Amino acid sequence: MDGVSGNHRARSVGVGRAHAKAILLGEHAVVYGAAALAVPIPQLTATASAGFSPAGDGEGELSFTMTGSASRALVTQASDGLRELTAAFKDRVGVSGELHLDVILDGAVPTGRGLGSSAANSRAIVLALAELFGRELSDGAVFDLVQTAENMAHGRASGVDAMAVGASAPLLFQAGRARELSIGCDGLFIVADSGAAGSTKEAVELLRAGFERRAGAREKFLERASQLTARAEQALAEGRAEDVGAQLTDYHDLLREAGLSTERIEAMVAAALAAGSLGAKITGGGLGGCVIALTRPDQASQVTRRLHEAGAVHTWVVPLRRRAEHV
């Protein structure tokens, strides 16, 4: 095709998909190099399609559409980010020429909820562009491009979102590397949306300010976070669901003490625990967003009902199934 360099055959349209994720333990600590545990949420997806259009009159021209009820501000922000991501993609794979691209993004991952919406959107777009241009990208190349977009959107990003939105199983992420978790028990994670968007940037700044006010506060936070995450990882592998739940609740206490919870989040955590959850916590950056609760299947209906009574506007169920560690 005119304007496309390289030895690969371009297609008339490319499609890419990704999904949401939820962090079990490790929020904020993961930015400082500690481990985090995350689970994919496959029922919340982002789908992107990319095609060529003759409408452009200059190199790099781009038309971008988001389906659904996205606000004008969100569309503008996403469009600006997409231009940067497209430029990074073209540099990475060696695409040049005067091209006009039409990109349509259908994103079902709620924004500002700690579910990885921006990373899922970016991954879907990267995969759509790769298919459009006939490029085969390694997992590492896809991660690098999504991480580039995440850094542009959020500042310094840990990389856990960029990795988890393409994962097919629960994973441990640390310092840019990930591996699948060994799961020795069955159960259900219930993810509940509080209806209030959080702000990762504001939460990070709030936590950093707290670290600066108190000598040794950062080290204490990271030590406790790492301890709870390691205990949960071991309990998952050994099939001790009750202990996994206990670590979730203790990690919530850690985030609450850091000032990252809200009244509604607290009400939802308390409701999940009162309904029989093995453990519950805020998930993501904080100051809003979602709660994640671990429960046995026979308690799921009761926990879900109580979460909605406490203010949840949406809930999603993520199965936890036994599986050997992937090496």
Side-chain angles (χ1 to χ4, degrees):
M1 173 172 283
D2 292 344
V4 181
S5 66
N7 298 321
H8 299 269
R9 180 179 177 84
R11 302 189 182 190
S12 59
V13 65
V15 177
R17 296 178 178 84
H19 53 67
K21 65 83 180 110
I23 295 181
L24 300 182
L25 297 96
E27 292 95 338
H28 294 286
V30 68
V31 176
Y32 295 92
L37 310 184
V39 294
I41 307 177
Q43 61 266 56
L44 289 177
T45 60
T47 303
S49 65
F52 296 110
S53 168
D57 57 3
E59 183 176 355
E61 291 295 318
L62 177 70
S63 295
F64 177 59
T65 303
M66 289 183 73
T67 64
S69 57
S71 67
R72 180 173 297 180
L74 178 60
V75 173
T76 299
Q77 180 183 18
S79 180
D80 292 342
L82 176 56
R83 294 178 192 280
E84 298 287 344
L85 180 59
T86 301
F89 173 87
K90 291 171 67 177
D91 289 342
R92 180 74 182 235
V93 304
V95 170
S96 62
E98 295 186 0
L99 304 171
H100 185 89
L101 297 175
D102 285 333
V103 176
I104 300 174
L105 177 66
D106 181 6
V109 184
T111 60
R113 302 302 199 271
L115 301 179
S117 63
S118 63
N121 292 344
S122 295
R123 180 179 174 88
I125 290 169
V126 166
L127 295 178
L129 291 173
E131 185 173 275
L132 176 67
F133 287 102
R135 278 9 185 220
E136 292 186 9
L137 296 179
S138 66
D139 291 341
V142 174
F143 171 82
D144 288 344
L145 286 166
V146 176
Q147 183 66 356
T148 296
E150 286 290 278
N151 285 330
M152 288 188 294
H154 304 297
R156 179 189 175 195
S158 68
V160 63
D161 283 14
M163 188 72 71
V165 295
S168 59
L171 57 81
L172 180 146
F173 177 91
Q174 185 170 19
R177 299 176 65 86
R179 62 174 174 80
E180 290 186 13
L181 288 170
S182 176
I183 307 296
C185 54
D186 296 327
L188 296 173
F189 288 112
I190 299 174
V191 180
D193 182 0
S194 71
S199 170
T200 298
K201 182 178 180 180
E202 184 180 347
V204 168
E205 292 174 351
L206 178 66
L207 191 62
R208 183 183 296 118
F211 290 162
E212 292 174 352
R213 286 195 302 270
R214 299 182 297 275
R218 187 177 79 170
E219 291 73 19
K220 183 179 179 181
F221 178 89
L222 293 177
E223 181 181 7
R224 181 61 172 158
S226 297
Q227 181 185 61
L228 294 172
T229 301
R231 287 178 179 174
E233 179 194 1
Q234 185 174 0
L236 279 169
E238 295 176 357
R240 293 183 281 109
E242 294 86 351
D243 287 344
V244 176
Q247 309 314 311
L248 293 178
T249 305
D250 286 350
Y251 204 101
H252 175 75
D253 292 341
L254 180 68
L255 297 178
R256 186 191 66 242
E257 290 166 3
L260 300 178
S261 189
T262 68
E263 288 186 9
R264 179 170 292 186
I265 292 293
E266 288 303 305
M268 290 167 60
V269 168
L273 294 175
S277 282
L278 302 177
K281 63 181 284 292
I282 194 170
T283 179
L287 302 179
C290 293
V291 164
I292 187 166
L294 175 61
T295 182
R296 296 185 177 89
D298 59 356
Q299 297 171 315
S301 295
Q302 173 74 357
V303 171
T304 300
R305 182 177 65 81
R306 293 290 295 273
L307 281 166
H308 281 283
E309 290 174 352
V313 296
H314 296 289
T315 51
W316 304 277
V317 175
V318 182
L320 180 68
R321 296 189 177 97
R322 299 171 193 263
R323 61 184 296 139
E325 182 177 333
H326 178 73
V327 179

